[in-house]
Amino acid sequence: QVQLVESGGGLVQAGGSLRLSCAASTNIFTFTAMGWYRQAPGKQRELVALLPRVGIINYADSVKGRFTISRDISKNTVSLQMNSLKPEDTGVYYCNADMFGGLRSWGQGTQVTVSS
């Protein structure tokens, strides 16, 4: 079964940058899509960036122009570069993989805290 492990979270000041990484246990090109989601305390998990196997990258309006999702197929990783961070970006960030057949896998999450 697919394992996803996030890393790179931490505490940064507003306006700073952070790069998250997600390592997959299998070839990420076998996934229909990979994405990053986040969940703030007491809030629903929300999509921040989606990278389809084939198609157009989708970003939440709140992060467009600031976040960039990318993948390295040879290393089975997907990353999220986060720039110009805001306090409202605070939350637990989760890596997601969508697989053929509709199955979804999730990482354990990594905490991102942005101070004002």
Side-chain angles (χ1 to χ4, degrees):
Q1 192 64 27
V2 174
Q3 293 183 51
L4 303 173
V5 180
E6 302 98 333
S7 62
L11 173 64
V12 298
Q13 294 184 23
S17 297
L18 208 59
R19 185 176 180 86
L20 306 182
S21 182
C22 173
S25 63
T26 189
N27 190 339
I28 64 172
F29 198 64
T30 65
F31 305 147
T32 61
M34 296 195 74
W36 285 95
Y37 292 70
R38 68 186 179 192
Q39 187 169 21
K43 305 295 184 180
Q44 296 292 109
R45 188 176 299 184
E46 64 175 350
L47 175 70
V48 297
L50 184 67
L51 179 58
R53 180 177 182 269
V54 177
I56 300 172
I57 297 172
N58 185 48
Y59 295 97
D61 289 341
S62 60
V63 307
K64 283 184 177 178
R66 299 189 298 119
F67 290 11
T68 303
I69 188 171
S70 62
R71 63 187 167 200
D72 187 334
I73 295 176
S74 68
K75 298 183 182 298
N76 292 325
T77 59
V78 62
S79 298
L80 184 69
Q81 178 66 45
M82 305 184 294
N83 298 325
S84 301
L85 284 162
K86 305 174 180 179
E88 50 262 45
D89 294 320
T90 294
V92 178
Y93 283 67
Y94 297 91
C95 180
N96 159 257
D98 296 326
M99 293 164 281
F100 290 103
L103 188 63
R104 310 191 82 185
S105 293
W106 297 91
Q108 83 287 352
T110 185
Q111 177 70 43
V112 172
T113 303
V114 184
S115 62
S116 60

